[in-house]
Amino acid sequence: MHIIRIQLFAPEVEEITLPIGTAFHDRTFPLCQSLSYREWSGYYTVSVYEVHHEHEYNAIRNACALIDISPLYKYLITGKDATRLVNRVITRDINKVKAGQVIYCCWCDEEGKVIDDGTISRLEENVYRWTAADPSLRWFRQNGLNMDVQIEDISEKIAALALQGPTSAKLLKSVAEADIANLKYFRVTRGKIAGVPVDISRTGYTGDLGYEIWMPWNDAVKVWDALADKGKQFDLHAAGMLALDVARVEAGLLLIEVDYTSSKKALIASQKFSPYELGFAKMVHLDKENFIGKRALERDAKNGVSRQFVGLEVDWTDVEQLYERYGLTPAAPAQASRVAVPVYSGEKQVGKATTTSWSPTLKKMIALASLETEYSKPGTSLQMEITIEAIRLKANVKVTTLPFFNPARKTATLV
């Protein structure tokens, strides 16, 4: 991150922190016709390459898309006690994970409230690559005191690309010196692309067939060029965050600071979430050795929790009728809305929809929502706030299970 010092009229010096480009900026910038960017962990990130993200979304669902995910925080955990540290921090049992496997997991504070979620790749017996949305180095090191473990922040050393979509496997097979055909869901393998050593994991944030490619920062452009060149015959498109946002909502995947708040940043108790309130119950292994938050999570498992994360399907006919009252015709929202809106049962607010999007694949308006447990059963009819001409109204919605979209190709064996 660049630090620019500006001398103001007063003698004080003010520091302004500006984002910088990722390892792929020299390639993504010429492609970004919209010049629409956002900041992600100190980096410039493309929101949308064209003026609308339609083609980018269609690439994710019907061909393949290339997404720069380098701004993720990445940590390398090594040493004799590496496994011990990982198991102490996360709620899952890492001893059940073999070398070459990847897991999605969360980690909690002492009160059993989620700090963050991410993936851990077990590259070797005592070598792990850990990704996180928020900076986590201090927390990991605090919990690794007096252990024989090395925790290295490799965020600026390792670049990463998500290659997602139905034709992603065929493209990768044609360009990578690696066993892509036998790479199962949530597994990782090593190989080369354009002579550059890479790790390739069958993971992603789109809920579709896809891969994430991890490579040295300084050689990242070579990998991009090889994929882009060969990708023409597979209808490859660079995709930005707007398209990814729609895909991850369809896949029922949560985004920290949007769908839930990290317990480290929460200001009040209701902003803190148990894994059992976020649909992470399967990631809590209470039968393993002691880990941070275990006692609190044992109480949650025994007593239940007051909220659940669910999907909502909006009654579009009802939305049309609401607009008709004002002589208007509704348009499907152009992009996912990250503005939380209330959800009601009659006059009572029973939760909130955290992200709402039109699903081009399902032809439905859908939302991720946190609801009181009593109202979270699939099939429950509720109402969600909708604003028309600055007037707050209620549209009918129905509770559904997540994910909304779950194609067989996502986990299929490709041999």
Side-chain angles (χ1 to χ4, degrees), residues 39 78 133 198-199 208 220 308 331 373:
E39 187 269 345
T78 56
V198 296
D199 288 341
D208 217 309
Q308 292 293 329
T373 300

Side-chain angles (χ1 to χ4, degrees), residues 349-415:
Q349 184 179 348
V350 296
K352 62 181 178 179
T354 54
T355 311
T356 306
S357 177
W358 176 262
S359 167
T361 297
L362 303 176
K363 303 295 186 288
K364 292 177 182 178
M365 192 164 161
I366 56 176
L368 302 176
S370 176
L371 301 180
E372 292 178 17
T373 300
E374 181 184 347
Y375 300 91
S376 65
K377 187 178 178 182
T380 303
S381 294
L382 300 168
Q383 300 84 42
M384 185 176 88
E385 185 177 282
I386 180 172
T387 302
I388 303 173
E389 284 296 288
I391 301 169
R392 296 180 180 182
L393 304 167
K394 295 176 183 175
N396 292 324
V397 297
K398 191 158 282 187
V399 176
T400 184
T401 54
L402 295 173
F404 298 100
F405 179 69
N406 190 27
R409 62 180 176 249
K410 179 178 76 174
T411 57
T413 303
L414 300 175
V415 179

Side-chain angles (χ1 to χ4, degrees), residues 296-316:
L297 293 175
E298 286 173 335
R299 289 195 296 271
D300 285 350
K302 180 181 178 182
N303 302 327
V305 290
S306 61
R307 298 176 291 189
Q308 292 293 329
F309 230 91
V310 300
L312 298 178
E313 289 187 358
V314 181
D315 184 339
W316 190 251

Side-chain angles (χ1 to χ4, degrees), residues 69-291:
I69 56 169
S70 299
L72 280 170
Y73 288 95
K74 301 171 282 283
Y75 303 96
L76 188 66
I77 318 293
T78 56
K80 191 176 76 174
D81 291 332
T83 301
R84 188 174 151 218
L85 168 66
V86 172
N87 231 19
R88 180 178 180 179
V89 173
I90 67 171
T91 59
R92 287 185 70 160
D93 189 352
I94 199 66
N95 290 313
K96 296 178 180 178
V97 179
K98 298 176 182 177
Q101 275 187 269
V102 185
I103 59 166
Y104 175 50
C105 62
C106 65
W107 48 102
C108 297
D109 59 21
E110 294 83 352
E111 298 173 343
K113 305 304 182 184
V114 177
I115 294 174
D116 202 350
D117 63 285
T119 61
I120 299 178
S121 302
R122 192 167 193 170
L123 303 176
E124 298 173 25
E125 188 63 26
N126 276 317
V127 178
Y128 299 88
R129 183 178 54 246
W130 197 332
T131 70
D134 285 346
S136 302
L137 185 63
R138 186 166 178 261
W139 182 249
F140 295 164
R141 284 184 171 165
Q142 281 177 335
N143 287 289
L145 288 174
N146 302 317
M147 289 189 190
D148 183 1
V149 63
Q150 290 76 48
I151 306 160
E152 183 186 359
D153 186 342
I154 56 171
S155 303
E156 297 181 7
K157 294 181 179 178
I158 300 295
L161 287 171
L163 180 66
Q164 304 284 303
T167 64
S168 59
K170 291 178 181 177
L171 168 54
L172 212 46
K173 282 180 191 176
S174 70
V175 79
E177 298 174 45
D179 187 6
I180 303 303
N182 293 298
L183 188 61
K184 294 180 180 178
Y185 191 50
F186 268 81
R187 299 294 191 277
V188 60
T189 189
R190 287 189 159 149
K192 288 184 178 181
I193 296 177
V196 178
V198 296
D199 288 341
I200 300 171
S201 55
R202 193 167 163 189
T203 50
Y205 197 50
T206 64
D208 217 309
L209 172 62
Y211 303 83
E212 291 175 327
I213 307 164
W214 314 83
M215 69 213 80
W217 193 278
N218 294 337
D219 290 323
V221 169
K222 296 177 185 175
V223 177
W224 178 285
D225 288 345
L227 290 167
D229 182 56
K230 199 74 175 178
K232 292 169 187 173
Q233 57 192 284
F234 298 96
D235 201 18
L236 176 71
H237 288 257
M241 295 299 106
L242 293 186
L244 183 60
D245 225 12
V246 175
R248 66 100 184 165
V249 173
E250 291 176 333
L253 299 172
L254 308 191
L255 179 60
I256 194 169
E257 314 310 348
V258 174
D259 299 305
Y260 77 95
T261 306
S262 167
S263 68
K264 295 286 188 183
K265 296 180 180 178
L267 301 175
I268 54 176
S270 63
Q271 292 175 344
K272 298 181 180 183
F273 287 83
S274 162
Y276 292 103
E277 295 176 313
L278 296 176
F280 292 167
K282 290 181 180 178
M283 301 196 297
V284 181
H285 296 167
L286 295 173
D287 56 346
K288 76 165 190 171
E289 64 193 52
N290 193 35
F291 61 91

